[in-house]
Amino acid sequence: MTVSKALRNQGKISAATRKRVLKRAKELHYQMNWVARSLVTRRTYTIGLLLPEFTHPFFAEIARAIAQTLRPHGYHVIISYFEEDPELERSEADSLLARQVDGLIIASAQPAHCLDLFKRIQRRNVPFVLLDRPIAGLQACFVGVDNRAIGRLATEHLIARGCRCIAHLRGPQLGIAAQRLEGYRRALAKAGLRGHARYVMGGGHGDDTGYEGMQRLLRVRPIPDGVFCYSDPVAIGAIKAILEAGLRVPQDISVVGAGNVHYSDQLTVPLTTVDQGTCQMGARAAELLLERIGLKRSLQPKKILIPPKLVERESTRR
């Protein structure tokens, strides 16, 4: 029992005893048998993290925050991604459940009418937390950001900077994209500005789609003097299209992104963006899942919204 506590860094053991145990374990090249441990504890000490993609800095930062939060509690994270494919997401989730993970954190791409995946998870009594993307009609723990507030903050900032013809490069067909669009429209209406449908253009979620969406916006007359973009990568693509067209950022067109990814301040034109509290979001999701794993009875789902903050840089400083 003393050896077990020393190896797990738990219990009341003197520093000298713990040091002796760890020294001997190193000499013997000891490694814990996680399979044997799970048979005793009925836990595998693994968490499944389902993400739509690896390459997006937003999800990379979230994954790091989750791992850093779980690691001190003895948990390991198995990361799986599904390329925004709902069917692949269901398959990957089933694989993680087959591995007997103790819990799941999911940034889901499931449509609102398709709740079969989550019903399967609930039937197996595996705790899970939805991350970033809520699912309408599903009673589940959720950690994310107020997306309407993101749209409102970004648009209000452009208005305050003197923009009067403000466009929006909207994201993919997800609930959060619709909420950011709603925040944009509400801010325009509050300021007494008309929101024309031709100034709302699909921007996807990457720099390539943002570039193409901005090219289409530049063909609208009059051209916008401000653009709120669904994400920072979309905004980066938009800036590229604006500069290639011989226009200036922000003198001709001001640009605001969302996400505050780690390189946003190092661009040719440092990007004004709305910080979503990415690291805080990942940490809170991990903490909430640990709380649910430790419970012996079910509780009402908890919803945590991280308040967004505007970060002003050169792309809107006229």
Side-chain angles (χ1 to χ4, degrees):
M1 183 63 73
T2 300
V3 170
S4 175
K5 289 180 179 179
L7 292 172
R8 290 183 288 122
N9 197 26
Q10 295 178 356
K12 295 181 180 180
I13 305 170
S14 70
T17 300
R18 180 174 280 111
K19 185 177 180 181
R20 287 173 58 205
V21 171
L22 295 177
K23 180 176 181 292
R24 187 63 178 143
K26 186 177 181 180
E27 291 170 352
L28 294 171
H29 304 291
Y30 171 81
Q31 286 186 316
M32 185 179 295
N33 186 325
W34 288 96
V35 175
R37 185 184 181 190
S38 67
L39 291 173
V40 175
T41 63
R42 298 189 181 277
R43 290 186 188 179
T44 60
Y45 288 89
T46 55
I47 299 296
L49 175 58
L50 274 165
L51 299 175
E53 57 178 306
F54 277 158
T55 56
H56 198 302
F58 173 76
F59 291 113
E61 290 179 14
I62 279 183
R64 182 175 64 178
I66 288 172
Q68 288 175 340
T69 304
L70 292 173
R71 196 174 293 126
H73 298 273
Y75 281 89
H76 300 271
V77 181
I78 301 175
I79 304 176
S80 183
Y81 78 108
F82 49 85
E83 302 172 5
E84 296 285 4
D85 181 343
E87 185 175 344
L88 182 57
E89 177 189 350
R90 292 191 289 272
S91 173
E92 291 296 311
D94 287 337
S95 294
L96 290 170
L97 290 172
R99 291 175 180 271
Q100 304 293 314
V101 293
D102 294 335
L104 290 164
I105 299 175
I106 310 172
S108 181
Q110 296 298 306
H113 62 274
C114 186
L115 303 181
D116 292 348
L117 167 62
F118 306 106
K119 289 177 180 177
R120 286 204 303 277
I121 297 171
Q122 289 169 334
R123 280 197 298 269
R124 297 184 63 156
N125 293 318
V126 176
F128 70 96
V129 174
L130 293 179
L131 178 74
D132 182 53
R133 303 172 175 187
I135 305 291
L138 178 65
Q139 293 296 312
C141 289
F142 171 74
V143 179
V145 70
D146 186 338
N147 286 286
R148 292 180 182 86
I150 286 179
R152 176 180 55 79
L153 281 173
T155 309
E156 286 178 349
H157 176 69
L158 289 168
I159 293 168
R161 282 297 180 188
C163 299
R164 290 298 175 266
C165 183
I166 301 171
H168 176 44
L169 286 174
R170 68 161 292 162
Q173 297 301 315
L174 296 168
I176 60 175
Q179 290 169 3
R180 292 180 190 184
L181 172 61
E182 183 182 340
Y184 155 81
R185 285 174 169 161
R186 286 183 181 180
L188 290 181
K190 184 179 178 182
L193 299 175
R194 292 186 64 187
H196 295 283
R198 66 180 183 273
Y199 287 107
V200 177
M201 200 71 68
H205 55 78
D207 54 355
D208 54 340
T209 51
Y211 175 81
E212 294 164 3
M214 191 67 226
Q215 284 185 318
R216 293 193 295 272
L217 275 177
L218 291 173
R219 292 194 287 268
V220 179
R221 292 294 180 270
I223 65 170
D225 57 4
V227 183
F228 159 48
C229 301
Y230 167 75
S231 69
D232 285 356
V234 171
I236 290 165
I239 289 176
K240 179 183 177 183
I242 293 168
L243 297 178
E244 282 187 3
L247 298 170
R248 299 168 298 167
V249 178
Q251 293 87 344
D252 298 313
I253 303 177
S254 293
V255 180
V256 180
N260 195 24
V261 297
H262 67 275
Y263 54 74
S264 296
D265 59 341
Q266 300 172 16
L267 302 170
T268 304
V269 183
L271 180 64
T272 293
T273 184
V274 182
D275 192 313
Q276 298 175 232
T278 309
C279 293
Q280 187 181 359
M281 193 186 301
R284 295 297 298 275
E287 291 166 356
L288 182 55
L289 185 62
L290 286 173
E291 174 189 305
R292 298 288 151 150
I293 290 172
L295 293 173
K296 294 184 179 179
R297 58 188 177 89
S298 60
L299 293 177
Q300 283 293 104
K302 186 182 292 186
K303 182 179 181 180
I304 299 173
L305 286 181
I306 310 297
K309 296 182 293 184
L310 187 93
V311 180
E312 184 181 8
R313 298 193 182 102
E314 308 309 317
S315 69
T316 58
R317 285 179 180 156
R318 292 187 165 186

